[in-house]
Amino acid sequence: MYKSSITVTELAEEVLQSVNCVPAIPGRVVARYLHELQQRLYVQVLRPLRQIGLALLTKGDMKYFTMQAILPEDGEDSVCIDDLHTVLVQGERVFCADPERFYAMSVPVYTHMADQVYLRNVTSNSVSVLYLARPAPITYTEEQGYGGSICMPNGYVTLLKAGLHAALCRHIGDDDGYHRYAAEYNDLLADLKKRYPVEGGTDA
């Protein structure tokens, strides 16, 4: 997981001071936008992958594992089915099929059913799973303030600030501010993709 020196509180207050809105934008709104932005960058751009070995359970002629068996590390969000990237059996990638084709295949294959991942034509009792590691949610309460962490690689915090600026300007109906910061966000994102490419690996 990437780590940033700036805290959620510091980033939020810096952006809120420049937005200068009366009445003040509630902290829970700021936290929601910041969480959505950070998650979107992890899912669409950064995509850090982590690998873990799992024991398989048996049901009839199928084997399976649950996403709950993947325990998040400190500061990470719970792993959901959409985070699943690759299933490996004895080092070989297993083909993913939709439930309709799953039962007709004669090669090692897996499919999603709710929060469980079922495999057929597999003799091994374990698998290796590559999944997307995402940061824990950014939250806000009146009692404790902001929770969670800014988890961005070098250079990406500026992008996060621009995105939050755009989101808050849109929230208060400042169209000019929204378009200005949205353009800055898009320009920064394009520039960072060129200068600081981030490739998914087995160690986030």
Side-chain angles (χ1 to χ4, degrees), residues 12 14 33-34 40 44 52 56 60 66 69 74 86 103 107 117 119 123 135-136 159-160 163 173 193 198:
E14 180 180 334
Y33 285 132
L34 197 49
R40 188 184 315 140
Q44 298 178 356
I52 188 173
L56 291 173
T66 66
D74 184 46
T86 305
Y103 293 99
V107 296
V117 179
L119 297 95
T123 58
L159 176 71
L160 207 59
K193 283 182 177 179
V198 179

PDB file of all heavy atoms in Angstrom, residues 12 14 33-34 40 44 52 56 60 66 69 74 86 103 107 117 119 123 135-136 159-160 163 173 193 198:
ATOM      1  N   ALA A  12      -7.687  17.944   3.564  1.00  0.00           N
ATOM      2  CA  ALA A  12      -9.050  18.460   3.530  1.00  0.00           C
ATOM      3  C   ALA A  12      -9.084  19.933   3.918  1.00  0.00           C
ATOM      4  O   ALA A  12      -9.747  20.750   3.255  1.00  0.00           O
ATOM      5  CB  ALA A  12      -9.941  17.643   4.460  1.00  0.00           C
ATOM      6  N   GLU A  14      -6.665  22.151   3.775  1.00  0.00           N
ATOM      7  CA  GLU A  14      -5.994  22.964   2.759  1.00  0.00           C
ATOM      8  C   GLU A  14      -6.938  23.286   1.605  1.00  0.00           C
ATOM      9  O   GLU A  14      -7.013  24.429   1.144  1.00  0.00           O
ATOM     10  CB  GLU A  14      -4.754  22.231   2.239  1.00  0.00           C
ATOM     11  CG  GLU A  14      -3.990  22.989   1.172  1.00  0.00           C
ATOM     12  CD  GLU A  14      -2.771  22.244   0.670  1.00  0.00           C
ATOM     13  OE1 GLU A  14      -2.231  21.417   1.433  1.00  0.00           O
ATOM     14  OE2 GLU A  14      -2.364  22.488  -0.475  1.00  0.00           O
ATOM     15  N   TYR A  33     -16.218  12.541  -0.866  1.00  0.00           N
ATOM     16  CA  TYR A  33     -15.587  12.863  -2.150  1.00  0.00           C
ATOM     17  C   TYR A  33     -14.135  12.393  -2.187  1.00  0.00           C
ATOM     18  O   TYR A  33     -13.674  11.841  -3.196  1.00  0.00           O
ATOM     19  CB  TYR A  33     -15.642  14.365  -2.413  1.00  0.00           C
ATOM     20  CG  TYR A  33     -17.002  14.875  -2.816  1.00  0.00           C
ATOM     21  CD1 TYR A  33     -17.553  15.994  -2.200  1.00  0.00           C
ATOM     22  CD2 TYR A  33     -17.743  14.250  -3.821  1.00  0.00           C
ATOM     23  CE1 TYR A  33     -18.805  16.471  -2.561  1.00  0.00           C
ATOM     24  CE2 TYR A  33     -18.991  14.725  -4.188  1.00  0.00           C
ATOM     25  CZ  TYR A  33     -19.519  15.835  -3.560  1.00  0.00           C
ATOM     26  OH  TYR A  33     -20.757  16.304  -3.921  1.00  0.00           O
ATOM     27  N   LEU A  34     -13.418  12.604  -1.098  1.00  0.00           N
ATOM     28  CA  LEU A  34     -12.015  12.214  -1.054  1.00  0.00           C
ATOM     29  C   LEU A  34     -11.869  10.696  -1.133  1.00  0.00           C
ATOM     30  O   LEU A  34     -10.994  10.177  -1.838  1.00  0.00           O
ATOM     31  CB  LEU A  34     -11.381  12.746   0.239  1.00  0.00           C
ATOM     32  CG  LEU A  34      -9.858  12.817   0.320  1.00  0.00           C
ATOM     33  CD1 LEU A  34      -9.258  13.494  -0.902  1.00  0.00           C
ATOM     34  CD2 LEU A  34      -9.447  13.541   1.595  1.00  0.00           C
ATOM     35  N   ARG A  40     -11.146   5.551  -6.837  1.00  0.00           N
ATOM     36  CA  ARG A  40     -11.168   5.554  -8.304  1.00  0.00           C
ATOM     37  C   ARG A  40      -9.755   5.477  -8.872  1.00  0.00           C
ATOM     38  O   ARG A  40      -9.493   4.757  -9.835  1.00  0.00           O
ATOM     39  CB  ARG A  40     -11.872   6.813  -8.817  1.00  0.00           C
ATOM     40  CG  ARG A  40     -12.098   6.800 -10.338  1.00  0.00           C
ATOM     41  CD  ARG A  40     -12.715   8.097 -10.823  1.00  0.00           C
ATOM     42  NE  ARG A  40     -13.811   8.505  -9.961  1.00  0.00           N
ATOM     43  CZ  ARG A  40     -14.045   9.754  -9.594  1.00  0.00           C
ATOM     44  NH1 ARG A  40     -13.250  10.742  -9.988  1.00  0.00           N
ATOM     45  NH2 ARG A  40     -15.086  10.046  -8.828  1.00  0.00           N
ATOM     46  N   GLN A  44      -8.730   2.394 -11.226  1.00  0.00           N
ATOM     47  CA  GLN A  44      -8.572   2.695 -12.646  1.00  0.00           C
ATOM     48  C   GLN A  44      -7.139   2.989 -13.071  1.00  0.00           C
ATOM     49  O   GLN A  44      -6.808   2.785 -14.242  1.00  0.00           O
ATOM     50  CB  GLN A  44      -9.464   3.883 -13.024  1.00  0.00           C
ATOM     51  CG  GLN A  44     -10.946   3.626 -12.832  1.00  0.00           C
ATOM     52  CD  GLN A  44     -11.808   4.834 -13.172  1.00  0.00           C
ATOM     53  OE1 GLN A  44     -11.304   5.904 -13.487  1.00  0.00           O
ATOM     54  NE2 GLN A  44     -13.115   4.657 -13.110  1.00  0.00           N
ATOM     55  N   ILE A  52      -1.745 -13.889  -2.652  1.00  0.00           N
ATOM     56  CA  ILE A  52      -1.929 -14.652  -1.423  1.00  0.00           C
ATOM     57  C   ILE A  52      -2.317 -16.081  -1.781  1.00  0.00           C
ATOM     58  O   ILE A  52      -2.973 -16.329  -2.795  1.00  0.00           O
ATOM     59  CB  ILE A  52      -3.021 -14.001  -0.527  1.00  0.00           C
ATOM     60  CG1 ILE A  52      -3.092 -14.675   0.839  1.00  0.00           C
ATOM     61  CG2 ILE A  52      -4.374 -14.030  -1.217  1.00  0.00           C
ATOM     62  CD1 ILE A  52      -4.023 -13.976   1.812  1.00  0.00           C
ATOM     63  N   LEU A  56      -8.504 -24.430  -0.526  1.00  0.00           N
ATOM     64  CA  LEU A  56      -9.802 -24.604  -1.161  1.00  0.00           C
ATOM     65  C   LEU A  56     -10.733 -25.463  -0.321  1.00  0.00           C
ATOM     66  O   LEU A  56     -10.303 -26.434   0.300  1.00  0.00           O
ATOM     67  CB  LEU A  56      -9.635 -25.244  -2.545  1.00  0.00           C
ATOM     68  CG  LEU A  56      -8.964 -24.376  -3.614  1.00  0.00           C
ATOM     69  CD1 LEU A  56      -8.725 -25.197  -4.876  1.00  0.00           C
ATOM     70  CD2 LEU A  56      -9.794 -23.144  -3.928  1.00  0.00           C
ATOM     71  N   GLY A  60     -19.364 -30.868  -3.538  1.00  0.00           N
ATOM     72  CA  GLY A  60     -19.638 -31.772  -4.655  1.00  0.00           C
ATOM     73  C   GLY A  60     -18.400 -31.947  -5.509  1.00  0.00           C
ATOM     74  O   GLY A  60     -17.323 -32.257  -5.003  1.00  0.00           O
ATOM     75  N   THR A  66     -13.818 -18.229  -0.439  1.00  0.00           N
ATOM     76  CA  THR A  66     -14.615 -17.020  -0.242  1.00  0.00           C
ATOM     77  C   THR A  66     -13.693 -15.808  -0.199  1.00  0.00           C
ATOM     78  O   THR A  66     -12.538 -15.894   0.222  1.00  0.00           O
ATOM     79  CB  THR A  66     -15.422 -17.073   1.064  1.00  0.00           C
ATOM     80  OG1 THR A  66     -14.521 -17.065   2.172  1.00  0.00           O
ATOM     81  CG2 THR A  66     -16.289 -18.337   1.113  1.00  0.00           C
ATOM     82  N   ALA A  69     -12.011 -14.868   3.051  1.00  0.00           N
ATOM     83  CA  ALA A  69     -10.797 -15.563   3.468  1.00  0.00           C
ATOM     84  C   ALA A  69      -9.552 -14.715   3.233  1.00  0.00           C
ATOM     85  O   ALA A  69      -8.487 -15.000   3.779  1.00  0.00           O
ATOM     86  CB  ALA A  69     -10.675 -16.897   2.719  1.00  0.00           C
ATOM     87  N   ASP A  74      -3.124  -4.041   7.399  1.00  0.00           N
ATOM     88  CA  ASP A  74      -3.386  -2.802   8.132  1.00  0.00           C
ATOM     89  C   ASP A  74      -3.523  -1.625   7.165  1.00  0.00           C
ATOM     90  O   ASP A  74      -2.668  -1.421   6.293  1.00  0.00           O
ATOM     91  CB  ASP A  74      -2.244  -2.535   9.113  1.00  0.00           C
ATOM     92  CG  ASP A  74      -2.511  -1.314   9.980  1.00  0.00           C
ATOM     93  OD1 ASP A  74      -3.636  -1.190  10.496  1.00  0.00           O
ATOM     94  OD2 ASP A  74      -1.594  -0.487  10.124  1.00  0.00           O
ATOM     95  N   THR A  86      -6.609 -12.408 -10.663  1.00  0.00           N
ATOM     96  CA  THR A  86      -6.133 -13.650 -11.275  1.00  0.00           C
ATOM     97  C   THR A  86      -6.209 -14.788 -10.271  1.00  0.00           C
ATOM     98  O   THR A  86      -5.936 -14.593  -9.090  1.00  0.00           O
ATOM     99  CB  THR A  86      -4.666 -13.496 -11.744  1.00  0.00           C
ATOM    100  OG1 THR A  86      -4.556 -12.372 -12.609  1.00  0.00           O
ATOM    101  CG2 THR A  86      -4.193 -14.745 -12.484  1.00  0.00           C
ATOM    102  N   TYR A 103     -20.184 -24.752 -16.160  1.00  0.00           N
ATOM    103  CA  TYR A 103     -20.492 -26.181 -16.010  1.00  0.00           C
ATOM    104  C   TYR A 103     -20.199 -26.992 -17.267  1.00  0.00           C
ATOM    105  O   TYR A 103     -20.128 -28.222 -17.214  1.00  0.00           O
ATOM    106  CB  TYR A 103     -21.954 -26.360 -15.599  1.00  0.00           C
ATOM    107  CG  TYR A 103     -22.245 -25.836 -14.221  1.00  0.00           C
ATOM    108  CD1 TYR A 103     -22.820 -24.586 -14.045  1.00  0.00           C
ATOM    109  CD2 TYR A 103     -21.914 -26.570 -13.086  1.00  0.00           C
ATOM    110  CE1 TYR A 103     -23.075 -24.079 -12.776  1.00  0.00           C
ATOM    111  CE2 TYR A 103     -22.164 -26.079 -11.811  1.00  0.00           C
ATOM    112  CZ  TYR A 103     -22.747 -24.830 -11.666  1.00  0.00           C
ATOM    113  OH  TYR A 103     -22.986 -24.327 -10.416  1.00  0.00           O
ATOM    114  N   VAL A 107     -11.822 -27.867 -18.909  1.00  0.00           N
ATOM    115  CA  VAL A 107     -10.492 -27.436 -18.488  1.00  0.00           C
ATOM    116  C   VAL A 107     -10.633 -26.735 -17.137  1.00  0.00           C
ATOM    117  O   VAL A 107     -11.742 -26.368 -16.737  1.00  0.00           O
ATOM    118  CB  VAL A 107      -9.866 -26.473 -19.530  1.00  0.00           C
ATOM    119  CG1 VAL A 107      -9.650 -27.187 -20.841  1.00  0.00           C
ATOM    120  CG2 VAL A 107     -10.733 -25.234 -19.705  1.00  0.00           C
ATOM    121  N   VAL A 117     -15.946 -17.937  -4.969  1.00  0.00           N
ATOM    122  CA  VAL A 117     -15.313 -18.234  -6.248  1.00  0.00           C
ATOM    123  C   VAL A 117     -15.206 -19.751  -6.359  1.00  0.00           C
ATOM    124  O   VAL A 117     -14.524 -20.399  -5.559  1.00  0.00           O
ATOM    125  CB  VAL A 117     -13.923 -17.587  -6.346  1.00  0.00           C
ATOM    126  CG1 VAL A 117     -13.273 -17.938  -7.683  1.00  0.00           C
ATOM    127  CG2 VAL A 117     -14.029 -16.069  -6.181  1.00  0.00           C
ATOM    128  N   LEU A 119     -14.400 -23.374  -8.470  1.00  0.00           N
ATOM    129  CA  LEU A 119     -13.504 -23.932  -9.475  1.00  0.00           C
ATOM    130  C   LEU A 119     -13.961 -25.338  -9.844  1.00  0.00           C
ATOM    131  O   LEU A 119     -14.447 -26.089  -8.997  1.00  0.00           O
ATOM    132  CB  LEU A 119     -12.063 -23.985  -8.957  1.00  0.00           C
ATOM    133  CG  LEU A 119     -11.397 -22.652  -8.631  1.00  0.00           C
ATOM    134  CD1 LEU A 119     -11.543 -22.334  -7.145  1.00  0.00           C
ATOM    135  CD2 LEU A 119      -9.920 -22.685  -9.000  1.00  0.00           C
ATOM    136  N   THR A 123      -7.611 -30.373  -9.353  1.00  0.00           N
ATOM    137  CA  THR A 123      -7.294 -31.404  -8.367  1.00  0.00           C
ATOM    138  C   THR A 123      -6.557 -30.844  -7.164  1.00  0.00           C
ATOM    139  O   THR A 123      -6.567 -31.441  -6.092  1.00  0.00           O
ATOM    140  CB  THR A 123      -6.435 -32.515  -9.001  1.00  0.00           C
ATOM    141  OG1 THR A 123      -5.244 -31.935  -9.539  1.00  0.00           O
ATOM    142  CG2 THR A 123      -7.204 -33.217 -10.122  1.00  0.00           C
ATOM    143  N   PRO A 135      -7.003   1.150  -0.305  1.00  0.00           N
ATOM    144  CA  PRO A 135      -6.919   1.714   1.050  1.00  0.00           C
ATOM    145  C   PRO A 135      -8.250   1.672   1.775  1.00  0.00           C
ATOM    146  O   PRO A 135      -9.314   1.672   1.151  1.00  0.00           O
ATOM    147  CB  PRO A 135      -6.463   3.162   0.807  1.00  0.00           C
ATOM    148  CG  PRO A 135      -6.857   3.457  -0.600  1.00  0.00           C
ATOM    149  CD  PRO A 135      -6.787   2.161  -1.351  1.00  0.00           C
ATOM    150  N   ALA A 136      -8.183   1.655   3.083  1.00  0.00           N
ATOM    151  CA  ALA A 136      -9.390   1.679   3.913  1.00  0.00           C
ATOM    152  C   ALA A 136     -10.178   2.960   3.646  1.00  0.00           C
ATOM    153  O   ALA A 136      -9.619   3.975   3.218  1.00  0.00           O
ATOM    154  CB  ALA A 136      -9.010   1.593   5.387  1.00  0.00           C
ATOM    155  N   LEU A 159      -2.684  15.656  -7.515  1.00  0.00           N
ATOM    156  CA  LEU A 159      -3.830  15.233  -8.320  1.00  0.00           C
ATOM    157  C   LEU A 159      -5.066  15.071  -7.444  1.00  0.00           C
ATOM    158  O   LEU A 159      -6.167  15.495  -7.816  1.00  0.00           O
ATOM    159  CB  LEU A 159      -3.500  13.909  -9.011  1.00  0.00           C
ATOM    160  CG  LEU A 159      -4.603  13.248  -9.831  1.00  0.00           C
ATOM    161  CD1 LEU A 159      -4.872  14.044 -11.102  1.00  0.00           C
ATOM    162  CD2 LEU A 159      -4.204  11.819 -10.196  1.00  0.00           C
ATOM    163  N   LEU A 160      -4.884  14.483  -6.283  1.00  0.00           N
ATOM    164  CA  LEU A 160      -5.997  14.284  -5.354  1.00  0.00           C
ATOM    165  C   LEU A 160      -6.581  15.623  -4.900  1.00  0.00           C
ATOM    166  O   LEU A 160      -7.800  15.787  -4.801  1.00  0.00           O
ATOM    167  CB  LEU A 160      -5.515  13.471  -4.153  1.00  0.00           C
ATOM    168  CG  LEU A 160      -6.549  12.627  -3.407  1.00  0.00           C
ATOM    169  CD1 LEU A 160      -7.201  11.612  -4.323  1.00  0.00           C
ATOM    170  CD2 LEU A 160      -5.902  11.933  -2.223  1.00  0.00           C
ATOM    171  N   GLY A 163      -8.661  17.084  -7.727  1.00  0.00           N
ATOM    172  CA  GLY A 163      -9.922  16.365  -7.843  1.00  0.00           C
ATOM    173  C   GLY A 163     -10.897  16.749  -6.750  1.00  0.00           C
ATOM    174  O   GLY A 163     -12.101  16.907  -7.000  1.00  0.00           O
ATOM    175  N   GLY A 173     -22.026  24.453  -6.412  1.00  0.00           N
ATOM    176  CA  GLY A 173     -22.578  25.117  -7.590  1.00  0.00           C
ATOM    177  C   GLY A 173     -21.658  26.131  -8.239  1.00  0.00           C
ATOM    178  O   GLY A 173     -22.123  26.998  -8.991  1.00  0.00           O
ATOM    179  N   LYS A 193       0.698   9.992 -15.658  1.00  0.00           N
ATOM    180  CA  LYS A 193       0.735   8.693 -16.335  1.00  0.00           C
ATOM    181  C   LYS A 193       1.974   8.577 -17.220  1.00  0.00           C
ATOM    182  O   LYS A 193       2.538   7.495 -17.388  1.00  0.00           O
ATOM    183  CB  LYS A 193      -0.531   8.495 -17.172  1.00  0.00           C
ATOM    184  CG  LYS A 193      -1.756   8.130 -16.371  1.00  0.00           C
ATOM    185  CD  LYS A 193      -2.944   7.912 -17.290  1.00  0.00           C
ATOM    186  CE  LYS A 193      -4.173   7.471 -16.537  1.00  0.00           C
ATOM    187  NZ  LYS A 193      -5.339   7.273 -17.439  1.00  0.00           N
ATOM    188  N   VAL A 198       2.785   3.773 -13.005  1.00  0.00           N
ATOM    189  CA  VAL A 198       2.675   2.857 -11.866  1.00  0.00           C
ATOM    190  C   VAL A 198       2.140   1.542 -12.391  1.00  0.00           C
ATOM    191  O   VAL A 198       1.058   1.474 -12.941  1.00  0.00           O
ATOM    192  CB  VAL A 198       1.738   3.401 -10.784  1.00  0.00           C
ATOM    193  CG1 VAL A 198       1.616   2.421  -9.624  1.00  0.00           C
ATOM    194  CG2 VAL A 198       2.258   4.750 -10.282  1.00  0.00           C
TER     195      VAL A 198
END
